[in-house]
Amino acid sequence: MRRRPGIGGLQTAAAARDQYRLLGENVAKLRTDLMKEQLSTFRSQLEDFARKHKNDIRKNPAFRSQFHEMCAKVGVDPLASNKGFWAELLGIGDFYYELGVQIVDICLATRAHNGGLIKLEELCKLLCQRRKGAREAVSEDDCLRAISKLKVLGSGFEVITVGKRKLVRSVPTELNKDHNEILEMAQAQGFVTVEEVERRLSWSSGRAIDALETLLDEGLAMIDDGHRDGQRRYWFPCVSSISSYVGAETI
């Protein structure tokens, strides 16, 4: 028969477990303290770097993007507030606030034309045209950061990916998988037809028409019936250039 451990043995085992637990807690605390110390050092070095290169950060979009990546690695968000060290040193909080206001203006001005969905590259181009006299150049990365701050408005501002393109949505429209597939198809020539959607996506006529009509109702598509083949073309301003769809008419 196996003998059960006595009271003394149980107490010894319990004491050993407590020691191991305390040792584990001490090691974890030491690691945490070391990590905090390293992060503090990194942040201090980051502040020194920002002081030294503030002009490059303000004026050079590529340099500014790399700086944001460095900040993210040590848990610093220079855009979190317009007050404090980063705002006073770099003024980038004000810079992105200004970009955000201009992005909203552009999206509102083009909404009747594109239904509230615009290519990121086109938005960035229009933004640069508007800011010709500004000292700071603007990159797509800057646009993305400014848009991320607009989400607090709760008005549908977000970036979506359709195929290989990024589109900025400024209306709270929910696009499903069918809508995204049609938008991706339209990127080739700016428009699609019901027959083309049926053939290339292997959809029924009803499914194709339903998805296209929904996009039309949402203001994302325009129709053109003036072709000899008699096929209605659904144009998508958000993925085609302005010159491509001259002549298309909205309903």
Side-chain angles (χ1 to χ4, degrees):
M1 291 179 61
R2 293 179 59 187
R3 296 180 60 186
R4 294 183 179 179
I7 295 176
L10 290 173
Q11 290 176 338
T12 301
R17 284 197 299 272
D18 287 342
Q19 288 180 341
Y20 282 125
R21 180 177 56 79
L22 289 172
L23 179 61
E25 290 175 355
N26 287 335
V27 170
K29 186 177 184 302
L30 285 172
R31 287 178 176 172
T32 302
D33 290 343
L34 180 60
M35 288 178 64
K36 287 181 179 178
E37 184 179 343
Q38 289 176 337
L39 280 175
S40 178
T41 301
F42 288 152
R43 287 174 180 171
S44 177
Q45 292 174 344
L46 190 62
E47 290 179 6
D48 291 338
F49 178 87
R51 287 189 182 95
K52 183 178 179 180
H53 299 283
K54 64 180 181 180
N55 288 331
D56 291 318
I57 293 170
R58 286 175 177 172
K59 297 178 181 179
N60 188 319
F63 199 93
R64 187 161 55 243
S65 177
Q66 293 173 352
F67 174 71
H68 278 295
E69 290 178 9
M70 289 169 55
C71 289
K73 289 178 180 178
V74 294
V76 171
D77 184 3
L79 306 184
S81 172
N82 272 349
K83 299 179 180 179
F85 169 80
W86 297 105
E88 292 174 6
L89 176 64
L90 301 175
I92 55 178
D94 292 334
F95 169 70
Y96 284 105
Y97 172 78
E98 181 183 330
L99 283 191
V101 171
Q102 293 171 340
I103 285 172
V104 170
D105 285 344
I106 291 171
C107 287
L108 289 175
T110 60
R111 186 174 291 178
H113 175 68
N114 56 34
L117 203 59
I118 184 172
K119 289 182 292 185
L120 176 63
E121 59 194 77
E122 184 178 353
L123 174 62
C124 190
K125 182 179 178 181
L126 292 172
L127 191 60
C128 289
Q129 290 175 357
R130 174 172 289 204
R131 295 175 55 84
K132 276 185 178 179
R135 290 179 301 173
E136 307 94 342
V138 176
S139 68
E140 288 189 5
D141 182 76
D142 290 325
C143 287
L144 289 172
R145 294 184 188 280
I147 292 167
S148 71
K149 300 303 171 185
L150 292 176
K151 288 184 179 180
V152 298
L153 297 177
S155 53
F157 276 92
E158 67 172 329
V159 178
I160 61 174
T161 301
V162 176
K164 296 181 179 179
R165 279 186 174 163
K166 285 185 169 61
L167 304 176
V168 178
R169 185 169 67 187
S170 59
V171 291
T173 303
E174 289 298 326
L175 300 178
N176 62 28
K177 186 173 181 292
D178 284 3
H179 302 147
N180 285 336
E181 288 194 51
I182 288 175
L183 288 172
E184 186 173 356
M185 262 187 63
Q187 290 178 14
Q189 51 190 358
F191 70 88
V192 298
T193 65
V194 173
E195 292 78 6
E196 184 181 15
V197 172
E198 291 176 24
R199 184 180 70 255
R200 292 182 57 184
L201 298 179
S202 300
W203 288 2
S204 67
S205 177
R207 181 179 179 182
I209 292 173
D210 180 68
L212 287 166
E213 290 298 317
T214 298
L215 291 168
L216 188 63
D217 291 341
E218 292 291 344
L220 298 176
M222 309 168 73
I223 62 171
D224 181 7
D225 289 325
H227 291 267
R228 293 179 181 178
D229 58 13
Q231 291 189 8
R232 168 171 286 187
R233 285 158 169 71
Y234 290 81
W235 289 86
F236 295 90
C238 58
V239 296
S240 55
S241 62
I242 293 175
S243 58
S244 299
Y245 49 81
V246 171
E249 296 178 0
T250 56
I251 281 190

